[in-house]
Amino acid sequence: SVFGGGSASSAGINVSQEKALNYSPWWRGIQIVSDAIARTQVSPYRITAAEEDLEDEDDDAIKTLAKEHASYPLLKREPNFFQTAYQWKKLMVSHKLSNGNAYSYIIRDGMTPVQLVPLDPHSTTPVIVRQDGSYWPTIPSPGDSIWYVWWQQGKAPVWLPAEDVLHFRNLSAEGVWGYSVVQKAREALGLGIAQQTHASVFFSNGAKPGLVLTHPNKLTDETKNKLLESWQRRHAGPENQLSTAIID
């Protein structure tokens, strides 16, 4: 799984979502895009058209801000009791960019939506339910229905109907499941993470002394081991570089 153990890249790095987020260029890109989109206004609109234009393109359709719609205050101010509209939009965009899919469960009072609660994309899966009751994560056929399975650790899965789930997906092969950008970009991310890791290891273990003192006689193994431990303790790490060392 690309979001569990990760997928191996040619650089030998298992690229998971968490590792990708620890790579500063990727993290910065997610931050910039999600911040920009979260600042935009998302509102419901009512589209009306003249009777004779209903079968034509909606170029002449009239779009009116539907402030009376139940979703308006959710999208404008507070989609749920623990997030602002900005925070919710930023999270949805971040999930979509990293995972390829972002989900929110629509909590209703009767038929009226009262909350939009984010679902963990790692624990949510869209499935196609066939008319005979079987289900497959494949291309739907006429008569099939889409459900979302929410997996809770240690509990039975919860089946959610499609009309109760907002699903924002990336580019998709079949229109049901969005591609993961982390998986598709794993080669570039793996190379970048490998370079970052190599540089970190190089600098953290850069035991390069500025001055070397030698001993005229041979040293015992015990003495060498003690010197080796002392060397690592005194010279490993960027704060200890260019200090004085003693070798035989």
Side-chain angles (χ1 to χ4, degrees):
S1 168
V2 68
F3 302 120
S7 293
S9 65
S10 299
I13 299 293
N14 283 333
V15 182
S16 65
Q17 183 175 331
E18 282 302 313
K19 280 191 176 181
L21 290 175
N22 287 329
Y23 182 49
S24 55
W26 177 261
W27 171 270
R28 183 58 178 156
I30 297 290
Q31 287 278 55
I32 291 174
V33 175
S34 60
D35 277 342
I37 296 179
R39 292 191 187 101
T40 61
Q41 179 64 45
V42 178
S43 301
Y45 284 84
R46 189 177 305 281
I47 301 176
T48 57
E51 187 73 25
E52 61 272 13
D53 296 332
L54 291 178
E55 295 182 0
D56 299 330
E57 296 294 331
D58 62 347
D59 294 340
D60 298 326
I62 301 173
K63 297 180 181 179
T64 307
L65 185 62
K67 292 186 177 181
E68 75 284 357
H69 196 276
S71 65
Y72 180 80
L74 301 180
L75 298 172
K76 176 73 173 178
R77 292 183 292 274
E78 191 176 89
N80 51 63
F81 70 90
F82 57 89
Q83 284 182 308
T84 64
Y86 173 86
Q87 293 169 337
W88 178 78
K89 286 182 287 185
K90 181 176 175 63
L91 181 62
M92 289 294 98
V93 175
S94 300
H95 281 177
K96 179 176 178 290
L97 291 175
S98 293
N99 184 278
N101 301 273
Y103 309 96
S104 276
Y105 177 52
I106 305 173
I107 298 179
R108 303 178 190 271
D109 181 5
M111 294 297 294
T112 304
V114 293
Q115 286 195 68
L116 304 175
V117 179
L119 300 175
D120 185 353
H122 300 161
S123 305
T124 308
T125 305
V127 295
I128 307 302
V129 179
R130 306 297 190 193
Q131 297 184 61
D132 61 2
S134 62
Y135 54 90
W136 305 93
T138 55
I139 301 175
S141 302
D144 295 346
S145 59
I146 298 178
W147 286 72
Y148 291 85
V149 183
W150 178 43
W151 304 89
Q152 302 178 83
Q153 187 173 7
K155 297 182 180 180
V158 178
W159 288 72
L160 306 172
E163 58 266 26
D164 288 338
V165 177
L166 280 177
H167 182 186
F168 306 97
R169 61 180 64 83
N170 263 341
L171 178 68
S172 174
E174 74 297 289
V176 177
W177 181 272
Y179 284 128
S180 164
V181 180
V182 171
Q183 185 179 21
K184 293 300 181 183
R186 69 178 179 271
E187 292 301 329
L189 287 170
L191 179 59
I193 294 171
Q195 291 173 329
Q196 180 175 275
T197 303
H198 173 75
S200 299
V201 173
F202 176 80
F203 286 116
S204 65
N205 293 290
K208 182 180 179 181
L211 177 66
V212 175
L213 303 179
T214 61
H215 193 280
N217 300 321
K218 283 290 183 181
L219 302 177
T220 64
D221 290 342
E222 182 181 0
T223 303
K224 288 181 179 179
N225 289 333
K226 288 182 177 180
L227 284 174
L228 179 60
E229 293 176 3
S230 175
W231 180 291
Q232 294 293 336
R233 186 172 61 254
R234 295 190 179 189
H235 306 295
E239 70 281 0
N240 292 325
Q241 292 187 44
L242 304 180
S243 57
T244 303
I246 301 175
I247 61 173
D248 68 342

